[in-house]
């Protein structure tokens, strides 16, 4: 039950991009096609989960005992950036098509607030490791859901004539806003 | 107090070094060899991602450039000759000097010259109209005026003139990207050598019908009489299928042919006015 | 290469540690001051140091913190750090000031994450909601929102928050009456 | 419940004004213009030259490729020239122009009207006669019929389907033919069955022609294996794949031919033409054409020589009305608008419709409101709105993967669209571009 | 030839329906429900409808004329439908200035920003309504009492909708049997004698309009039927599991905006799927989300939200759910 | 390099938020009011400026391969410093901005400046760039905050302008996106003119 609450809360109610404003750069950057959006979602899922585990362990067994929690930001970002680079190198070798699709956006994961934000939140919320992992996975699913929905609407908009002034970023922003508006309906479910 | 400093320094450095080490190992294990020149070439390209080179974007073009042995046929319409020379230098390959070209429209059949014979009421696309029938005038070769070329141009260089219903090229904006040439279902547009001061002489007609038929449908059609061929001192004009064609590379802009044409099908543009014959100097539509 | 990175982290961590050392005390003080301010807001004038006399009372596994305020050694009121988890968006923490007889003297919101514009009307500077409590003794009236047949006018469209607020104040009062005998 | 196909279809106003008008024979024209490209496939090669004298029924152009057909003179007279003229396709194409003198028929032809029922020749010979007589599908596609009569190796024809649906509004040529030449049709069908080696033939007729259904049903008892089926009035009931689905509940796969599901479809006119070619030795040089339109004085069905200018047909129907806005060769759903009335009647000309100006202009186009009506009526299960939008924006991958090539150009989508979008215009553009892309990919 | 003949590609015949006729068909279908509202809410219903329709049409005109610089197409009736449906979604005592904001958001943000008719991914009227609901929760959730406040506009006597009563009561732990006494009977719900938004009351009138829409082939049955059946099944399961804590299916479909939503708003062309199969997925999604919000969420009513949420899925549904192609699966026999 | 241009480029033409769409999370997450937006902008300004300075000084000593990690460490240090200092001396604002202060470290805009500008330019240019871009970012956030506060609470910098509640949506997530959408449209128009 407690896990269901975490999952629904993270995916629908407090959706990381639509309600918490994290990870917006990739949300807007990589949502022009459903396929790439899904790829990005997968990448976030992987990096977010692993990053949360590593940072959780790091905090519990190193930073907290030594009473140097103030180093949280800097250590987390170090961990995340090396992790991202690792994924990039591996992906390039293992799946060139995916690497092509996500191309320049993999490095952007280092600068994706969602990853660092969730890592910090996991620790702030006094979760157990398992809860933390579920929290991270749910949030990345929430991210994927939002980015795929947005990508779907954007692909659809490719076949329409958006007015000149709104073309491009403005209309995508407004679309995201309306998406967030719709998602407010989930308020209070958990 | 100093404890904190020591702990901080030690743990942070430890994390840093550890991360670097793991990365290093992984990088070795999963090495992918990619030609570094691709990046260099991509940087040298204009980055407009316009697709004028018929590749999906500049990076793909860069990859193609690196891959190809002979790059003279690969051509970026936006890049200047210097750009291409730079790329050639990066790659150590030969590159052909690009002759500056410009698009010209080879139809001059405005409604006054070429009366309408029916009213077209389909979707407003030249390709659709041309797939349907010969067109809304008697001429089965001429411009349909529905602006396919205008929509194809990424550089805002070709527009349909409201009065004549014919496209007009703005020479300065045209990058000779070939997009309009491909778009036109009637093959009316040709890329021709760009002469000094944008001067041009060309036969503004592609009608291959017999003279009488062509003339009946359009007053400024080339009727294939061959008089221009005879006067050209440089053998630049050929006659085939009732149609004269001026080779832009042989033509030396002597202007002897234009006044010869009985239907004014030969256009001369951006020349100083002629003194003797007034009639031919009257610049017909097609000029900007 | 590794060396550079090593040097960078070295320098960074050293300078961070230094800044940390410098700001450690001000951060502690700032937090303390916020608490003191809240205490000052909710109890009558005092001249002791309530936060040095603080003690905690355990209720159902959670803790309420009591800060007795004294004027010249005599108890003039108690500030109680209380909370509820039933806010619209999680925990609401309040500082409730009670006079020795249990009458409410003042309430301050310490922390909450209610919706701006809706639930955040419980903040003292955002609406007069809290005034309904001041000067009344929870023993004498039903400290519940109207919807629950109480005497408190809720906050429109934020019944949940208002209800939770009452609950937290009630908790402070109950613990004060039952176990809060001031030493 | 009448048989029909399961998905899509529309029911446009029928306007079968000429259904009750018996076929009249139109006089031979003064000049016949016989196009060399009246069929699907390669144009024929002329075998006459300027100055030659010809008789009606004489071969004037030979099939030039596997998919091509012979062309015979429809009149007697002198070949004056072979020139490019605008024909019913809207293009300038080569045609043989004949100055008419008298009306002399080739002597091999039996001009008599008596029914010749007994079949004396083999299936293979039937096929050969069909080929010699230059018979092409008269249902609209003008595909050379003899090719359809040779079943490819490995395939087996089980049933012959005869298309008497005539689902296009206005047109009544097939209707009249079924009423007036029922016996010839039955013999023609029997000939086709023999050529194909099948035991069974089914005639499908839309139920708005009950007299034809009754008439043919009563005749069919005398012929073995032929059955008549009334079909729900639903455009495009007569489209080959839909008709097959309606009658034998089989779906011809995308890109495949009817023979894939063991059947061959021929139009009733084609069957009658086969009868005349085989039993009477008469090549295809005349056909029934419906000339109709709301403001025509005397609309009717006319037996016309191929090569007669359209203007003469309109004259026969009472002359060109004042308010004429559009002239259509074929039905209103699939027919082609003509840009000149001088275009000659060709083998595929089933009707000439004269529309008043008020019915000729398209209404103002709005944006697609995504009402899904086009999706729900497309008999092929396509998404016209999407193909339209993608073609307009040159997103050819979408156009291709969403199966633009399955579109049979029935026009139902354009018909139904409340926004009056020229859906089919763009879908055609998509079809031709995608075919080009596929062809260039194959190379 | 003086007049040139016209040449165009086939077909040369067109069906009778056009956008205008379809839109005014919807207006006509909404008429019975409108009359019911006027009967129960009186002047308020008239004012809210008039303001909403006029301002929606007006904003569309202004935006097209002055911002987009195109010829206004307000006569096609789609803005009027949006205005009407927005009004149907508002309480009948809503201040005029709030209605104006709602109309501006519906038309400006929800529709014209995307290019107007047919382009909008979200239902404009619902965008307007939800925007208002979140912006002005107080005003948007006080509903006038039917009949008694027919002559008052702004200071009508207000009360809670049946759904609010049930939701509030259940969260207090009051058994349902007791709560049912506080709400109008099912017959009243059916004819519309209850608190609620202007047009969501009166299931009967809405159904009559719906039958008209079906008969005119303006909508197909798939969306309404899939939504209603999902809601009946889902709430039926909950009800069967615990009849004291969950209202019965009948109550659910008669209260709140389910009828209005299922028949008129989920069926909005631009924002619903193109294929029957897609419509089923969409309808089931709306049903499930509606019940989820009603039973577990913060809001007593969830139809509007669930339609908007499923609107967001429509492009993906359209991309992956294709109509059955002719000749696709060859089951010949 | 023309320093005036260098300074002003970020305000409209290369505005990090409106044009380049970078650093969107703080831009939307912290701009519930003009003051919060301003505060976040200033915090970011400090980090951008300091990291630009440090990077441009040490750019020649940092080998290319470890460039990014080093920059990140440098930025993270300044972020932590900002965090600590704000917690010590600006408790209220610190509490309001919450998670978004540590998140400055991942703001692509900050790293972008270090990467794309400071690592290639002189100390002076980088300083100007840092101040200019930082101010532009602050301006964008303040504008967005002001818009949202105005519409959402009828107030500006905490001063109530009209009696009564505003449109709550603008304080919440959907309003943030929508407001930014229209601001970007406006900016695009300005850029063109
Ligand atoms: C975005 C959003 C924020 C909300 N914030 C609060 C809140 O802060 N406090 C609260 O009690 N209810 C909040 N609600 C819940 C609703 O306003 C709910 O209808 C209300 O609590 C119960 O209605 P009532 O107070 O009018 O009886 C929120 C709802 C939404 C959708
Ligand atoms: C390229 C091509 C080849 C064909 N080959 C055959 C064939 O071998 N056998 C056959 O029975 N029909 C063949 N057909 C004819 C079709 O089955 C069909 O009758 C014709 O295309 C007209 O149908 P429609 O009017 O429904 O389009 C062929 C058609 C085309 C276009
Ligand atoms: C939309 C559509 C409608 C058609 N309607 C008819 C029709 O009503 N009658 C008919 O004989 N053929 C009709 N056809 C042509 C048939 O598909 C098919 O080509 C023809 O029946 C084959 O016979 P044929 O080769 O003898 O012409 C139609 C084709 C299409 C694509
Ligand atoms: C059946 C039908 C239902 C409609 N429902 C709505 C609706 O719920 N909301 C709305 O704003 N417009 C509605 N409209 C009007 C119109 O389609 C709407 O403005 C478009 O969404 C604008 O693109 C409807 C129209 C029709 C034909
Ligand atoms: S499309 Fe290309 S070639 Fe044609 S006018 Fe434009 S720039 Fe010139
Ligand atoms: S030149 Fe060609 S493409 Fe351009 S308008 Fe004429 S026909 Fe169309
Ligand atoms: S024309 Fe093509 S797409 Fe349109 S309904 Fe007919 S088959 Fe379908
Ligand atoms: S019928 Fe027309 S308006 Fe309706 S979906 Fe199809 S194309 Fe769009
Ligand atoms: S600022 Fe959050 S992802 Fe870029």
């Amino acid at each position: 039950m407690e896990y269901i609450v975490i999952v629904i809360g993270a995916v629908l109610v407090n959706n990381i991009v639509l309600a918490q404003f994290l990870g917006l750069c990739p949300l807007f950057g990589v949502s022009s096609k459903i396929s790439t959006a899904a790829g990005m979602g997968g990448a976030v899922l992987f990096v977010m989960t692993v990053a949360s585990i590593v940072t959780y362990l790091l905090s519990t067994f190193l930073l907290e005992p030594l009473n140097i929690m103030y180093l949280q930001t800097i250590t987390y970002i170090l961990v995340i950036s090396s992790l991202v680079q690792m994924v990039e190198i591996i992906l390039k070798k293992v799946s060139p098509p995916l690497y092509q699709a996500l191309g320049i956006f993999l490095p952007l994961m280092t600068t994706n607030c969602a990853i660092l934000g969730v890592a910090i939140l996991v620790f702030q919320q006094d979760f157990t490791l398992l809860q933390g992992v579920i929290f991270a996975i749910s949030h990345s699913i929430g991210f994927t859901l939002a980015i795929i929905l947005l990508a779907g609407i954007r692909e659809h908009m490719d076949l329409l004539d958006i007015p000149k002034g709104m073309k491009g970023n403005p209309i995508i922003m407004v679309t995201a806003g309306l998406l967030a508006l719709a998602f407010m309906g989930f308020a209070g479910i958990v | 107090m100093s404890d904190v400093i020591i702990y901080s320094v030690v743990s942070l450095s430890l994390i840093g070094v550890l991360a670097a080490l793991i990365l290093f190992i992984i990088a070795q294990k999963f090495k992918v060899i990619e030609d570094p020149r691709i990046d260099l070439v991509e940087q040298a390209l204009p980055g407009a991602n316009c697709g004028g080179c018929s590749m999906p974007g500049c990076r793909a073009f860069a990859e193609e450039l690196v891959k190809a042995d002979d790059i003279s046929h690969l051509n970026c319409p936006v890049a200047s000759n210097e750009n291409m020379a730079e790329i050639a230098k990066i790659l150590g390959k030969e590159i052909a000097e690009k002759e500056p070209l410009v698009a010209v429209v080879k139809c001059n059949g405005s409604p006054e010259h070429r009366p309408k014979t029916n009213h077209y009421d389909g979707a407003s696309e030249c390709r659709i109209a041309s797939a349907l029938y010969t067109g809304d005038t008697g001429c089965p070769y001429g411009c349909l005026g529905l602006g396919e070329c205008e929509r194809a141009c990424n550089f805002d260089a070709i527009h349909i003139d409201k009065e004549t219903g014919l496209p007009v090229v703005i020479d300065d904006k045209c990058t000779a990207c070939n997009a309009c040439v491909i778009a036109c279902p009637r093959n009316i547009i040709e890329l021709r050598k760009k002469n000094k001061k944008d001067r041009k002489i060309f036969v503004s007609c592609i009608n291959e019908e017999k003279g009488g038929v062509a003339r009946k449908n359009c007053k400024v059609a080339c009727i294939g009489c061959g008089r221009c061929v005879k006067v050209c001192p440089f053998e630049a004009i050929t006659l085939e299928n009732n149609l004269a064609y001026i080779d832009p590379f042989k033509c030396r802009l002597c202007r002897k042919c234009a006044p010869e044409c009985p239907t004014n099908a030969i256009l001369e543009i951006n020349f100083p006015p002629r003194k003797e014959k007034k009639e031919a100097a009257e610049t017909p539509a097609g000029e900007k | 290469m590794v060396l550079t990175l090593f040097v960078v982290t070295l320098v960074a961590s050293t300078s961070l540690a230094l800044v940390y050392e410098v700001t450690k005390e001000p951060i502690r003080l700032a937090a303390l001051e916020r608490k003191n301010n809240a205490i000052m807001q909710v109890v009558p004038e005092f001249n002791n140091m309530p936060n040095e006399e603080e003690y905690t009372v355990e209720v159902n596994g959670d803790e309420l913190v009591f800060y007795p305020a004294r004027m010249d050694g005599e108890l003039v009121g108690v500030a109680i750090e209380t909370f509820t988890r039933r806010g619209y968006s999680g925990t609401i923490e309040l500082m409730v000031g009670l006079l020795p007889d249990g009458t409410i003297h003042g309430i301050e919101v310490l922390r909450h994450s209610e919706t701006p514009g809706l639930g955040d009307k419980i903040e003292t500077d955002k609406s007069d909601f809290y005034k309904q409590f001041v000067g009344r003794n929870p023993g004498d009236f039903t400290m519940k929102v109207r919807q629950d047949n109480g005497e408190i006018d809720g906050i429109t469209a934020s019944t949940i928050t208002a209800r939770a607020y009452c609950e937290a104040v009630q908790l402070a009062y109950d613990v004060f009456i039952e176990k809060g005998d001031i030493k | 419940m009448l048989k029909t196909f399961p998905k899509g279809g529309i029911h446009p106003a029928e306007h079968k004004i000429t259904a009750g008008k018996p076929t009249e024979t139109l006089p031979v024209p003064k000049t016949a213009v016989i196009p060399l490209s009246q069929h699907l496939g390669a144009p024929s090669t002329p075998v006459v030259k300027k100055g030659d004298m010809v008789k009606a029924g004489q071969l004037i152009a030979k099939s030039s490729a596997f998919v091509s057909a012979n062309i015979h003179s429809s009149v007697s007279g002198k070949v004056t020239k072979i020139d490019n003229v605008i024909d019913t396709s809207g293009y300038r194409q080569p045609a043989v122009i004949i100055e008419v003198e008298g009306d002399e028929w080739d002597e091999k032809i039996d001009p008599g009207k008596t029914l010749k029922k007994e079949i004396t020749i083999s299936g293979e010979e039937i096929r050969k006669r069909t080929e010699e007589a230059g018979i092409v599908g008269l249902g609209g596609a003008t595909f050379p019929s003899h090719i359809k009569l040779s079943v490819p190796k490995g395939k087996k024809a089980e049933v012959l389907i005869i298309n008497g649906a005539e689902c296009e509004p206005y047109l009544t040529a097939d209707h009249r033919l079924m009423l007036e030449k029922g016996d010839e049709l039955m013999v023609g069908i029997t000939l086709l069955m023999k050529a194909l080696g099948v035991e069974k033939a089914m005639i499908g007729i839309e139920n708005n022609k009950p007299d034809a259904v009754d008439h043919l049903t009563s005749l069919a008892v005398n012929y073995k294996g032929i059955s008549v089926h009334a079909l729900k009035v639903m455009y495009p009931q007569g489209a080959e794949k839909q008709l097959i689905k309606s009658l034998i509940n089989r779906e011809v796969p995308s890109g495949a031919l009817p023979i894939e599901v063991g059947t061959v479809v021929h139009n009733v006119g084609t069957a009658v033409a086969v009868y005349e070619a085989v039993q009477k030795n008469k090549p295809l040089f005349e056909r029934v054409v419906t000339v109709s339109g709301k403001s025509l004085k005397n609309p009717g069905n006319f037996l016309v020589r191929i090569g007669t200018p359209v203007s003469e047909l309109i004259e026969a129907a009472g002359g060109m009305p004042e308010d004429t806005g559009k002239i259509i060769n074929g039905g209103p759903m699939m027919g082609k608008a003509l840009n000149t009335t001088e275009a000659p009647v060709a083998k595929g000309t089933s009707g000439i419709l004269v529309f008043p100006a008020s019915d000729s202009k398209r209404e103002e186009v709005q944006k697609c409101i995504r009402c899904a009506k086009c999706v729900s009526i497309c008999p092929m299960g396509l998404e016209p709105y999407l193909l339209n939008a993608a073609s307009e924006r040159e997103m050819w991958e979408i156009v291709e993967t969403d199966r633009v090539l399955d579109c049979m150009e029935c026009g139902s989508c354009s018909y139904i669209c409340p926004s009056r979008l020229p859906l089919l215009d763009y879908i055609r553009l998509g079809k031709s571009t995608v075919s080009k892309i596929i062809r260039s990919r194959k190379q | 030839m003086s007049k040139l003949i016209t040449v165009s590609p086939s077909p040369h015949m067109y069906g009778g329906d056009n956008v205008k006729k379809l839109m005014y068909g919807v207006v006509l279908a909404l008429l019975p429900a409108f009359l019911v509202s006027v009967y129960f809410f009186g002047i308020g219903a008239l004012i809210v409808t008039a303001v909403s329709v006029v301002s929606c049409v007006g904003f569309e005109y202004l935006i097209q004329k002055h911002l987009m610089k195109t010829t206004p197409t307000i006569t096609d009736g789609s803005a009027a439908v949006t205005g009407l449906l927005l009004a149907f979604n508002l309480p009948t005592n809503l201040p005029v200035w709030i209605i104006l904001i709602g109309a501006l958001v519906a038309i400006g943000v929800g529709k014209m920003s995307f290019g107007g008719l047919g382009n909008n991914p979200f239902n404009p009227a619902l965008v307007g309504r939800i925007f208002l609901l979140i912006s002005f929760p107080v005003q948007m959730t006080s509903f006038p009492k039917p009949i008694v406040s027919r002559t008052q506009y702004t200071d009508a006597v207000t009360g809670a909708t049946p759904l609010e009563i049930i939701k509030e009561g259940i969260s207090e732990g009051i058994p349902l049997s007791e709560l049912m006494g506080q709400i109008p009977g099912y017959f009243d719900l059916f004819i519309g004698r209850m608190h609620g938004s202007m047009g969501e009351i009166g299931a009967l009138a809405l159904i009559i309009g719906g039958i008209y829409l079906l008969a005119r082939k303006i909508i197909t049955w798939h969306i309404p039927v899939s939504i209603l059946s999902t809601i009946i099944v889902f709430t039926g399961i909950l009800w069967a599991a615990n009849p004291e804590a969950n209202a019965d299916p009948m109550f659910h479909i008669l209260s709140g905006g389910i009828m209005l939503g299922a028949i008129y708003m989920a069926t909005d062309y631009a924002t619903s799927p193109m294929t029957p199969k897609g419509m089923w997925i969409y309808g089931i999604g709306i049903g499930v989300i509606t019940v989820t919000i009603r039973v577990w969420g913060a809001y007593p009513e969830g139809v509007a939200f669930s339609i908007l949420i499923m609107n967001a899925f429509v492009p993906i549904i359209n991309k992956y759910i294709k109509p059955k192609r002719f000749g696709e699966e060859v089951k010949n026999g | 390099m023309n320093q005036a241009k260098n300074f002003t480029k970020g305000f409209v033409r290369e505005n990090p938020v409106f044009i380049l769409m970078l650093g969107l999370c703080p831009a939307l997450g912290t701009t519930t009011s003009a003051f919060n937006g301003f505060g976040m902008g200033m915090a970011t300004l400090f980090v951008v400026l300091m990291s630009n300075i440090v990077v441009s000084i040490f750019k020649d000593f940092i080998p290319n391969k470890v460039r990014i990690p080093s920059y990140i460490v440098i930025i993270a240090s300044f972020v932590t410093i900002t965090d600590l200092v704000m917690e010590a001396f600006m408790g209220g604002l610190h509490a309001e901005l919450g998670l978004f202060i540590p998140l400055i470290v991942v703001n692509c805009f900050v790293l972008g400046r270090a990467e794309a500008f400071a690592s290639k330019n002189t100390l002076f240019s980088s300083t100007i760039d840092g101040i200019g871009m930082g101010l532009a970012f602050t301006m964008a956030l303040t504008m967005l905050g002001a818009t949202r506060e105005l519409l959402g609470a009828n107030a500006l910098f905490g001063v109530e302008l009209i009696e009564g509640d505003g449109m709550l949506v603008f304080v919440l997530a959907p309003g943030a996106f929508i407001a930014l959408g229209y601001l970007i449209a406006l900016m695009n128009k300005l850029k063109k003119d």
Side-chain angles (χ1 to χ4, degrees), chain B residues 78 142 211-212 284:
Chain B
V78 184

Side-chain angles (χ1 to χ4, degrees), chain D residues 4-15:
Chain D
T4 186
F5 51 98
K7 181 185 175 293
I10 55 176
H11 187 200
E14 291 171 22
H15 295 298

Side-chain angles (χ1 to χ4, degrees), chain E residues 22-23 26 77-79 81-83 85 111 116-120 122-126 213 218-219 263-271:
Chain E
L22 295 175
M23 293 301 162
V26 179
S78 67
V81 173
T82 300
L85 283 168
K111 186 175 174 191
L117 183 59
N119 280 6
N120 47 312
F122 294 97
N123 189 319
L126 289 179
L213 289 183
I218 294 177
I219 60 170
I263 300 173
Y264 300 89
M265 312 209 65
T267 51
D268 175 27
Y269 292 150
T271 58

Side-chain angles (χ1 to χ4, degrees), chain A residues 184-185 187, chain C residues 87-89 113-116 118-120 147 155-162, chain E residues 134 137 141 168 298-300 305, chain F residues 172:
Chain A
M184 294 211 62
Chain C
Y88 181 76
S89 329
S113 25
E114 301 306 278
T115 318
L118 286 178
D120 74 347
Q147 283 94 325
I155 303 169
T156 20
S158 295
T159 314
I160 299 166
T161 310
Chain E
I134 290 174
T141 49
E168 186 69 19
Y299 290 100
F305 282 111
Chain F
L172 303 173

Side-chain angles (χ1 to χ4, degrees), chain E residues 287-316:
Chain E
V288 169
I289 297 173
T290 302
V291 177
T292 306
I293 292 177
R294 281 188 175 186
V295 175
W296 293 288
Y299 290 100
E301 172 59 314
V303 181
F305 282 111
S306 56
I307 294 178
L308 277 187
I309 290 165
M310 288 313 290
N311 283 168
F313 282 89
V314 166
I316 295 174

Side-chain angles (χ1 to χ4, degrees), chain E residues 97 101 108-109 113 131-132 134-137, chain F residues 165-170 172 174-175 178 182:
Chain E
W97 63 274
I101 292 177
V109 179
S113 290
F131 187 95
L132 292 185
I134 290 174
S135 289
F136 307 105
Chain F
D165 294 336
M167 289 178 258
L168 246 182
V169 210
F170 283 103
L172 303 173
I178 294 174
Y182 288 103

Side-chain angles (χ1 to χ4, degrees), chain D residues 13 250-251 325-326 332-333 335 338 362 367 369-370 373 380-381 383 385 402 414-415 418-420 425 428, chain E residues 5-6 8-15 17-19 115 117-118 217 269 274 318 322-327 332:
Chain D
R250 296 183 191 175
E251 281 187 22
K326 198 187 248 180
M333 294 303 295
L338 296 176
R362 290 187 176 181
K367 270 186 249 177
I369 58 169
R370 311 176 65 75
K373 286 188 190 296
M380 296 307 290
E383 296 155 290
Y385 81 98
D402 279 304
S414 289
Y415 173 89
S419 288
R420 295 286 175 267
D425 293 12
R428 274 201 203 94
Chain E
I5 56 169
T6 302
S8 61
S10 66
H12 307 287
M13 247 176 120
Y14 295 96
D17 269 339
N18 59 31
V19 175
L117 183 59
K217 298 209 169 116
Y269 292 150
M274 305 294 275
N318 280 340
K322 294 292 180 189
K324 188 203 160 295
R325 314 288 198 196
F326 187 94
N332 290 316

Side-chain angles (χ1 to χ4, degrees), chain D residues 396-408:
Chain D
W396 305 123
E397 283 128 74
I398 295 182
V399 179
E400 185 182 345
T401 52
D402 279 304
R403 297 216 194 179
V404 78
L405 295 181
D406 279 3
C407 170
M408 57 177 165

